[in-house]
Amino acid sequence: MAVVSSFHSALLPFSSPSIPIPILNPVNCEKRRRWTSYSTRLQCSSCPDEAKRISEQSSWESKDSEGKDYLYRLGQEADNMNIAVGARQGVIDDLFVGNFLGKDSDIVFDYRQKATRSFEYLQGDYYIAPAFLDKVACHIVKNYIAHLLNVKVPLILGIWGGKGQGKTFQTELIFRAMGIEPVIMSAGELESERAGEPGRLIRDRYRTASQVIQNQGKMSCLMINDIDAGLGRFGNTQMTVNNQIVVGTLMNLSDNPTRVSIGQKWRESDVVHRVPIIVTGNDFSTLYAPLIRDGRMEKFYWQPDHEDIINIVHQMYAKDGITRDEVIRVVDTFPNQALDFYGALRSKTYDQSILQWVNDTGGYEKLGEKLLKGKKDGQLSTFVPPKQSVEALLESGHSLVKEQHLITNSRLSKEYMKNIDD
């Protein structure tokens, strides 16, 4: 003891107030750091009055079924964002998960999930073809109760048919009627400058639809529009790695609809909801054959009959005061036309009224300035829509047919205009 005390007394006069001095503990001969300021000490781990570590006070160290804490699992996952956790019981302290937030509420869901689509803008009564409604509704219901059925249920519904037949619009009307909040993708998202990105995006959108079901309590699905435009094999088109990965991703989702990875480590507890997939296209014969086989994709060819066309066009012209008999006259005058043709008729009748409105606002010279400033200030001239009549619709129809024949005869797109009779 005397030796140690004299050693202390020899060192202390030369020590600076800001320099820690290693000394020997007389009890267990361990090195300790001691500051010359006696009011501040670093306590050793063996002292009974040591403060509890922060990590031991946090529920972030809650163990999962494999005995691993949450921070370990975060480190194992790729591209993980902390905001994806939300307020979940057993992960965040109970103080912040109280009943006012719900036991498993995701407090940032509305800010993260922007891929979902709602259809409040579809106002008014629209006609839904019964055959179309039965097929889409049956496919969605079958996938939601697939665990109760003793049959193989295809995950994908492929709706195909001619151009402009209302495949996408009819599907959106069904989503609105059934209260479904889908995740929408287009063919333009099926290619990227980075290999593997589109396949990962499909899996991510699929998991997003699963989160809508789990967190919002709403039915959801994944819809890909014009899939043959992104994955179809045409005459001289080149097959890319992303095309192959997207096809493989859709095939894997069909075979394993509840186990979807976006790059993170596989976990037995990571099971997502089964989400039905709906794709639209014009020609599925250009797709990879194993993808469209019966076990993975259920095909539905949509070609509206004469009665469906009349009912749809009648609802389209209902606000214009066009009667059903007048609609039949227009449809019979222009047979073998797609549904978008009759929508173009109504749009073309507005041309003369718009040109008159331009002249009323001062002509073409200052049109840009008036359009931008008037729209911002709310001082645009009132536009009076034209009064629709059968004669105006027929005149617009003959003008469109003339344009179609000019395009066909110029060899610009004979395949696109194949519905026109020679």
Side-chain angles (χ1 to χ4, degrees):
M1 283 292 184
V3 176
V4 175
S5 300
S6 61
F7 177 71
H8 290 174
S9 60
L11 287 179
L12 288 178
F14 300 95
S15 61
S16 172
S18 60
I19 300 177
I21 303 173
I23 62 175
L24 294 177
N25 189 343
V27 179
N28 52 17
C29 296
E30 293 180 352
K31 283 188 176 183
R32 298 172 54 194
R33 288 189 179 272
R34 179 177 178 182
W35 298 84
T36 55
S37 175
Y38 293 98
S39 61
T40 304
R41 294 172 181 260
L42 291 178
Q43 297 179 343
C44 64
S45 59
S46 61
C47 297
D49 58 343
E50 181 184 5
K52 194 174 183 180
R53 291 188 300 114
I54 296 298
S55 60
E56 294 178 356
Q57 297 178 359
S58 174
S59 58
W60 287 91
E61 293 193 357
S62 300
K63 306 295 182 181
D64 59 9
S65 59
E66 299 177 0
K68 299 175 182 177
D69 58 46
Y70 190 75
L71 292 177
Y72 176 86
R73 289 186 280 123
L74 280 179
Q76 293 295 317
E77 296 179 3
D79 298 333
N80 189 285
M81 295 185 300
N82 191 23
I83 62 171
V85 177
R88 299 186 181 277
Q89 190 178 24
V91 177
I92 302 299
D93 291 334
D94 293 338
L95 174 63
F96 306 104
V97 187
N99 292 328
F100 62 93
L101 282 177
K103 291 297 184 183
D104 196 23
S105 59
D106 194 342
I107 57 178
V108 293
F109 186 85
D110 294 335
Y111 299 96
R112 285 190 294 108
Q113 307 298 342
K114 298 298 183 182
T116 57
R117 184 84 59 84
S118 58
F119 303 100
E120 288 82 3
Y121 64 91
L122 295 178
Q123 301 295 331
D125 295 330
Y126 292 94
Y127 177 81
I128 303 177
F132 203 106
L133 175 61
D134 291 343
K135 180 60 67 173
V136 174
C138 181
H139 176 75
I140 293 175
V141 173
K142 278 197 307 183
N143 276 275
Y144 272 89
I145 63 172
H147 61 286
L148 304 177
L149 305 177
N150 192 23
V151 293
K152 173 67 174 178
V153 178
L155 184 71
I156 305 175
L157 172 64
I159 304 174
W160 66 292
K163 59 180 178 59
Q165 298 292 1
K167 297 180 290 295
T168 299
F169 187 64
Q170 287 280 299
T171 307
E172 292 178 349
L173 291 176
I174 294 174
F175 289 158
R176 187 192 67 168
M178 296 182 63
I180 297 174
E181 188 167 324
V183 177
I184 307 293
M185 292 186 64
S186 68
E189 298 177 280
L190 302 182
E191 188 53 80
S192 173
E193 68 275 7
R194 292 184 292 179
E197 188 67 24
R200 179 188 175 90
L201 179 63
I202 290 177
R203 296 191 298 272
D204 183 60
R205 297 285 175 84
Y206 187 92
R207 291 180 67 97
T208 298
S210 175
Q211 290 178 352
V212 172
I213 299 173
Q214 178 178 350
N215 297 343
Q216 294 190 1
K218 298 180 180 179
M219 289 195 300
S220 183
C221 69
L222 175 63
M223 184 173 181
I224 305 177
N225 288 315
D226 305 311
I227 189 173
D228 56 335
L231 299 182
R233 299 183 182 182
F234 300 96
N236 298 318
T237 57
Q238 182 181 5
M239 193 71 175
T240 66
V241 174
N242 278 325
N243 295 148
Q244 297 173 333
I245 292 176
V246 168
V247 170
T249 297
L250 292 175
M251 293 170 60
N252 181 260
L253 288 176
S254 301
D255 298 336
N256 303 280
T258 59
R259 300 304 303 271
V260 183
S261 170
I262 55 174
Q264 77 272 20
K265 182 179 178 181
W266 284 104
R267 301 193 308 271
E268 291 297 328
S269 59
D270 188 11
V271 178
V272 300
H273 289 270
R274 182 186 179 105
V275 177
I277 300 177
I278 299 176
V279 300
T280 63
N282 299 120
D283 188 1
F284 283 174
S285 65
T286 61
L287 300 178
Y288 186 56
L291 173 63
I292 63 175
R293 68 174 177 85
D294 293 335
R296 293 190 174 110
M297 180 185 295
E298 181 180 4
K299 277 78 65 181
F300 173 57
Y301 179 73
W302 170 238
Q303 179 66 43
D305 55 22
H306 187 263
E307 188 67 21
D308 289 330
I309 293 177
I310 291 176
N311 290 328
I312 294 174
V313 176
H314 183 221
Q315 289 298 122
M316 189 187 306
Y317 295 158
K319 296 181 179 179
D320 300 324
I322 304 297
T323 64
R324 182 180 177 86
D325 293 336
E326 293 172 335
V327 169
I328 294 176
R329 179 185 171 187
V330 173
V331 172
D332 291 341
T333 304
F334 305 103
N336 301 323
Q337 295 287 352
L339 284 171
D340 60 353
F341 175 85
Y342 304 103
L345 295 185
R346 185 174 183 271
S347 177
K348 196 171 182 60
T349 58
Y350 276 65
D351 291 353
Q352 292 298 326
S353 298
I354 292 176
L355 293 177
Q356 182 63 39
W357 180 83
V358 170
N359 294 328
D360 295 341
T361 56
Y364 301 98
E365 290 77 9
K366 299 182 179 180
L367 183 61
E369 179 182 354
K370 291 187 177 181
L371 282 177
L372 296 178
K373 290 186 176 181
K375 184 177 180 180
K376 183 178 179 180
D377 300 335
Q379 298 178 356
L380 281 175
S381 303
T382 303
F383 175 75
V384 180
K387 182 175 178 58
Q388 298 290 355
S389 63
V390 179
E391 288 72 19
L393 293 174
L394 293 177
E395 181 182 356
S396 300
H398 289 298
S399 176
L400 289 176
V401 171
K402 183 178 179 181
E403 292 177 1
Q404 290 175 349
H405 283 295
L406 289 175
I407 295 175
T408 304
N409 295 332
S410 65
R411 298 175 56 193
L412 178 62
S413 180
K414 287 188 177 182
E415 180 65 21
Y416 188 78
M417 308 303 298
K418 59 185 179 182
N419 284 340
I420 305 299
D421 292 337
D422 294 332

